[in-house]
Amino acid sequence: MHTVWKGAISFGLVHVPVKMFSATEDKDISMKYIHKVCGSPISYVRRCPACDVDVNWEEISRGYEYEKGKFVLFEKEELEQLNDHVEKTITILDFVDLEEIDPIYFQKTYYLSPDQAGSNAYQLLLEAMKQSGKIGIAKFAIRSKSSLAAIRVLEGCLAVETIFYPDEIRPIAQVPNLPETFQVNDKELTMAKMLIEQLSTPFEPEKYTDDYREALLKLIEHKVSGEEISLAPAKPETNVIDLMAALQASIEAVKPVATDPGPAPAKRTRKPAAKKAKAQPEEGAVAGGGGGTAARGTATEGATAEGAATGKAETGGRPTVAVKPKPKRKSPAKPKAE
């Protein structure tokens, strides 16, 4: 790690020599402005609009605009002398509980390590703060700026977090359109609390990723390899009107998905018994060699049985009764005249 500051922690009459290292890094992908005509990067020049000339660093000083178009000037040596009066010391002013500080105050975190022969004093301060559960509120100067800071123990290391001064925090009263009084629907409130409960989980920072940066890196790789890129159009957003419907849909979306038990076993079905009517024509065919009357009777019975089977099918499986036609009576033969 690159050392960004060297100094000492001071509390009471104890001085702890330390080195400071940045605990975070900016992973934003930087890009340059390019001239489309020739592909060259655009350069920015220091130019005076009144004289219409480029200006070298030797001809530049700093100034504060106290009125529109009016400045007081400061030479480089004046600002350097002002910095010389600032001690390179992190002076602890008070010890407080971490829960008393709202996260809005925190800016940037740095690691502190012991420097030179300050290891014993460093370990003493670290252990005392760990056992007390307190954090130190301190002041120090870094990069020509006086900063308020909080010193705390972080996994066996002292860490200093720069925090804003109170007058740098904008009051909530300046936020526009905040409702003064608002009535919440009880059902909507219950569903909102249910959704919060279902989304509640231990904080695991590893699962959160910068999706935009990953997508941009992939796009850069494809561009470098010469691949043609076509981006899918973004899905149009719809304005949610029904709050209850939106809450219900959100709750349904985060419900655990039930596991598939697999296909249900097929039910065994009993096959219908063979129709007796189908066997009757065969018997009639065997016996039909005798006479036409028997054959016609057998055929009539077969047709009747077949109609009964058809009727059974049409009536959804309910049995029907087949009525045989009565045979016609034969008239007695008249005696022949002699």
Side-chain angles (χ1 to χ4, degrees), residues 296-324:
R296 284 195 301 270
T298 306
T300 304
E301 292 175 4
T304 305
E306 186 176 349
T310 307
K312 185 177 181 180
E314 293 177 351
T315 55
R318 295 189 302 271
T320 58
V321 180
V323 181
K324 295 183 180 181

Side-chain angles (χ1 to χ4, degrees), residues 273-286:
K275 307 290 190 301
K276 291 182 179 181
K278 292 183 178 181
Q280 289 180 355
E282 297 179 359
E283 295 174 358
V286 175

